[in-house]
Amino acid sequence: MDLIKRAWVEISIENLKYNFYKIKELLNENVKIMAVLKANGYNCGDVRIAKELTALDDEIQFAVSNVEEAIQIRKGGIENPILILSYTPPEYANLLLEYNITQTLVSFDYALQLEEVLQEEEQKLKIHIKLDTGMGRIGIRCFDENLDNAIAKITKICNNKTFQVTGCYTHIATFYENDQDSLEYSKLQFARFKKITDELLSKNNYLGILHCLNSAGTVNMPEMQLDMVRVGTLIYGALPEINNHRGTIFKPIVTIKCRIGKVSDVKKGDFIGYSRAFCADSDLKAAVLTIGYSDILRMGSGKGSVLINDVLCPVIGGVCMDQMVVDISQAGGVKAGDIAVVMGQSREKEIDFAAMAEFLKCGEEEVYCHITYRPTKIYV
């Protein structure tokens, strides 16, 4: 059956490739890329994105949130290293071995738990050691009075026959901010990471690939590149401009479209939407669109518009589960079956991340995560 275009997401492979090569331009020689494929590749299709990227770089690595995501990518035919960035319950450690998945070591106690369940296994579990340098989430706290204790614990991990250490990393809390205090905190976290890793390496501990930069850090802090960078929003062209302090241009890979299901005349005083959400203060023309909040989560939380005939048409009457209504009075000849651009480029105009984030009442970097399974995904 042909793809049914009620509401759909167009994913630009050309823009994906453009973003990849832009990232490569930012990197020093021999610095590797780890592409983040969490949440089904930011709802762009993790397996397809992984295949496109491995065609560009056969040494690229991938990162996901959980073991289910990693297995899905493995079953899709991807053999490159896959790192789980968070906790996997120890009872599923056998799946990590079976599918050759690398696990983040979120704490020293977690290492002991994994060791216990894997003690009968001949195969070593590949791990990246996570260091908490000031983010306050997962990782072994490794600064202030905890430094010597952290070095002792990590040395034990490096010499533990259960594990094969292939990397060591931290996550920096303030890469997205541009004020001086945040910049100094980023530098402090990096200095903490360098201090402990230098100390560990001086004691002949093998740490594998060192990495600390996310998307914003990759653009803004080239001096912290180390061996690899972890890029998510950059790959998808979704890094907010406010966080792109160097002005490097990346291209969004997603355009969201839908059909017009009905065009009608609305008289002054007519109501539109649940709870009579909108009352027309003059005669107008309206179009019912075939998209709703079950296609894009939280759509309608804020004020929004769509593009029809390259004209911004405001949403009126709220957003329903499967439909919403827009004012097309200024859009010229519009008929049922025509296409509306909900996000992305029309002809001369665009609904960008900032506008869509306002519509969803979320951060710009969160927009792709609001796309549900329901809109058809089309690769162009």
Side-chain angles (χ1 to χ4, degrees):
M1 183 176 69
D2 292 337
L3 293 174
I4 297 173
K5 292 184 177 180
R6 179 196 71 88
W8 67 98
V9 177
E10 294 179 358
I11 299 164
S12 170
I13 300 303
E14 180 180 345
N15 285 0
L16 177 73
K17 293 177 179 179
Y18 170 90
N19 293 336
F20 173 81
Y21 287 119
K22 273 294 176 185
I23 293 166
K24 291 288 284 187
E25 289 177 10
L26 296 173
L27 301 182
N28 298 325
E29 188 176 1
N30 298 323
V31 175
K32 298 179 182 296
I33 292 176
M34 174 175 278
V36 180
L37 300 176
K38 295 188 295 185
N40 192 26
Y42 287 59
N43 287 319
C44 293
D46 49 14
V47 173
R48 178 61 184 268
I49 297 298
K51 287 181 176 179
E52 295 291 344
L53 292 175
T54 51
L56 302 176
D57 178 3
D58 59 8
E59 293 187 353
I60 196 168
Q61 301 193 24
F62 299 108
V64 296
S65 167
N66 56 66
V67 69
E68 294 94 337
E69 291 178 345
I71 290 172
Q72 175 170 294
I73 294 167
R74 278 282 181 259
K75 288 183 175 180
I78 301 300
E79 298 179 354
N80 298 53
I82 301 174
L83 172 66
I84 295 177
L85 294 170
S86 52
Y87 174 84
T88 299
E91 59 265 33
Y92 298 107
N94 62 311
L95 293 175
L96 302 174
L97 295 177
E98 180 181 351
Y99 288 96
N100 190 25
I101 298 165
T102 306
Q103 174 61 46
T104 289
L105 215 58
V106 302
S107 69
F108 184 69
D109 287 344
Y110 183 52
L112 298 179
Q113 293 166 10
L114 289 172
E115 180 186 19
E116 183 176 355
V117 299
L118 294 173
Q119 58 185 333
E120 302 299 326
E121 298 286 346
E122 294 183 5
Q123 183 181 352
K124 291 186 176 183
L125 176 64
K126 293 177 182 177
I127 60 168
H128 280 211
I129 300 169
K130 180 70 177 288
L131 301 180
D132 178 12
T133 57
M135 180 76 173
R137 296 193 309 189
I138 61 172
I140 298 171
R141 186 179 173 97
C142 63
F143 55 95
D144 300 335
E145 71 277 5
N146 297 280
L147 178 60
D148 291 340
N149 187 34
I151 289 173
K153 288 178 176 179
I154 295 166
T155 299
K156 288 182 180 179
I157 292 168
C158 290
N159 290 287
N160 191 312
K161 295 181 180 180
T162 303
F163 305 119
Q164 178 185 348
V165 179
T166 58
C168 181
Y169 72 106
T170 193
H171 196 64
I172 294 179
T174 48
F175 276 147
Y176 287 104
E177 286 73 44
N178 198 25
D179 60 279
Q180 189 61 35
D181 185 58
S182 296
L183 178 62
E184 292 303 319
Y185 194 74
S186 295
K187 291 179 178 179
L188 174 63
Q189 280 194 256
F190 182 70
R192 288 169 173 171
F193 184 70
K194 281 289 292 176
K195 181 175 182 178
I196 188 170
T197 53
D198 286 349
E199 181 74 16
L200 286 163
L201 291 170
S202 73
K203 297 179 183 296
N204 297 318
N205 292 293
Y206 180 75
L207 298 177
I209 295 172
L210 303 180
H211 50 111
C212 73
L213 293 185
N214 63 2
S215 287
T218 298
V219 173
N220 302 320
M221 307 295 284
E223 66 274 20
M224 299 183 187
Q225 285 180 12
L226 300 176
D227 301 321
M228 184 167 67
V229 298
R230 303 184 303 273
V231 287
T233 51
L234 281 190
I235 286 286
Y236 307 99
L239 181 69
E241 286 187 21
I242 193 172
N243 304 133
N244 188 345
H245 307 150
R246 292 172 179 253
T248 306
I249 295 174
F250 295 89
K251 296 181 179 180
I253 71 170
V254 161
T255 301
I256 303 172
K257 297 179 178 179
C258 69
R259 295 283 186 183
I260 294 170
K262 176 189 174 184
V263 173
S264 60
D265 294 313
V266 177
K267 300 299 183 182
K268 180 179 179 179
D270 284 355
F271 294 106
I272 295 175
Y274 285 112
S275 304
R276 299 181 295 177
F278 174 83
C279 180
D281 57 11
S282 62
D283 293 351
L284 58 86
K285 273 197 171 294
V288 180
L289 306 186
T290 57
I291 193 169
Y293 60 73
S294 61
D295 300 289
I296 313 293
L297 295 176
R298 292 181 61 179
M299 190 162 63
S301 298
K303 293 182 179 180
S305 299
V306 304
L307 285 167
I308 300 173
N309 291 339
D310 217 31
V311 174
L312 282 170
C313 301
V315 176
I316 54 177
V319 177
C320 304
M321 186 173 182
D322 313 302
Q323 303 173 89
M324 65 182 183
V325 182
V326 297
D327 182 346
I328 58 169
S329 301
Q330 306 302 316
V334 180
K335 63 184 184 300
D338 286 352
I339 293 173
V341 176
V342 178
M343 176 181 164
Q345 189 78 37
S346 180
R347 294 193 292 270
E348 300 295 328
K349 295 182 180 178
E350 178 185 13
I351 296 177
D352 61 12
F353 280 105
M356 197 64 185
E358 172 59 28
F359 195 15
L360 302 178
K361 284 296 180 188
C362 70
E364 291 180 44
E365 70 282 0
E366 301 172 33
V367 168
Y368 283 2
C369 294
H370 289 273
I371 302 170
T372 72
Y373 73 93
R374 198 165 79 164
T376 304
K377 309 300 189 296
I378 301 172
Y379 297 91
V380 297

